Amino acid sequence: MADLLLDDRGVILTCPNCEQRNRVLYERLSDPVRCGKCKRELSSPASPVEIVTAGDFDRLVANASIPVVVDYWAPWCGPCRMVAPELQKVAARRAGRILVVKVNTEALPDLGQRFNVRSIPMLAVFAQGREVARTVGARPASDIEAFIDQAIHAHR
Ligand SMILES: [Zn+2]
């Protein structure tokens, strides 16, 4: 699968058939998507997406039609490396129902500061524009899914 990218309006999916880049707007993340060029149906984002700017992050959490799970990490953090493959599994299993993003707190210190991230790895769930739950520490995919389910359920 091609690397996922994201900009201030949506997630960019590269069509595996014709390589056309298609933007899926944040407010339509839960809808089925067809390639604008060859009309082939595209699969929902099934991998964590790295956040590049704080502005993209803000637009995403404000507009996303599905819950956003944020992994705050840093290159020097050993336990963060253990979380990465577990989050990959979660993103694949929940494709189309949640969007998993990664925030490098070293590259984006303003986000870490704004959300008061004191220790990493930290996972947070955003729904309808606001943070509804957070948890610190590495854990297996099944525990991450239980945490997400509880966060979303409690929010409804
Ligand atoms: Zn295509």
Side-chain angles (χ1 to χ4, degrees):
M1 182 169 186
D3 276 350
L4 287 166
L5 298 168
L6 167 158
D7 66 10
D8 62 341
R9 285 191 286 159
V11 178
I12 313 298
L13 297 177
T14 303
C15 176
N17 188 41
C18 73
E19 302 196 347
Q20 170 81 14
R21 287 184 166 194
N22 294 271
R23 183 191 287 108
V24 185
L25 296 177
Y26 293 140
E27 35 289 67
R28 313 201 46 183
L29 282 171
S30 45
D31 300 354
V33 189
R34 285 189 181 277
C35 173
K37 194 170 167 193
C38 74
K39 309 301 176 197
R40 178 173 164 153
E41 191 159 338
L42 302 175
S43 41
S44 300
S47 297
V49 189
E50 192 77 50
I51 298 288
V52 181
T53 75
D56 293 351
F57 180 85
D58 290 339
R59 297 273 190 102
L60 167 65
V61 298
N63 297 309
S65 59
I66 54 178
V68 178
V69 176
V70 185
D71 171 30
Y72 295 96
W73 71 286
W76 47 262
C77 161
C80 294
R81 282 192 282 277
M82 303 195 312
V83 174
E86 300 303 311
L87 264 180
Q88 173 61 61
K89 287 182 211 167
V90 173
R93 292 204 287 242
R94 302 286 174 110
R97 288 181 285 156
I98 60 167
L99 182 71
V100 180
V101 299
K102 295 169 73 71
V103 169
N104 178 343
T105 54
E106 210 166 71
L108 297 168
D110 45 336
L111 278 182
Q113 217 161 39
R114 176 141 55 94
F115 290 100
N116 201 18
V117 179
R118 290 170 185 274
S119 114
I120 52 173
M122 188 181 101
L123 295 174
V125 179
F126 285 79
Q128 276 134 44
R130 65 185 187 91
E131 184 185 319
V132 295
R134 60 168 58 187
T135 183
V136 173
R139 60 199 65 209
S142 55
D143 287 13
I144 295 173
E145 288 181 300
F147 161 70
I148 294 168
D149 287 343
Q150 200 186 17
I152 296 169
H153 182 74
H155 179 68
R156 271 188 188 137

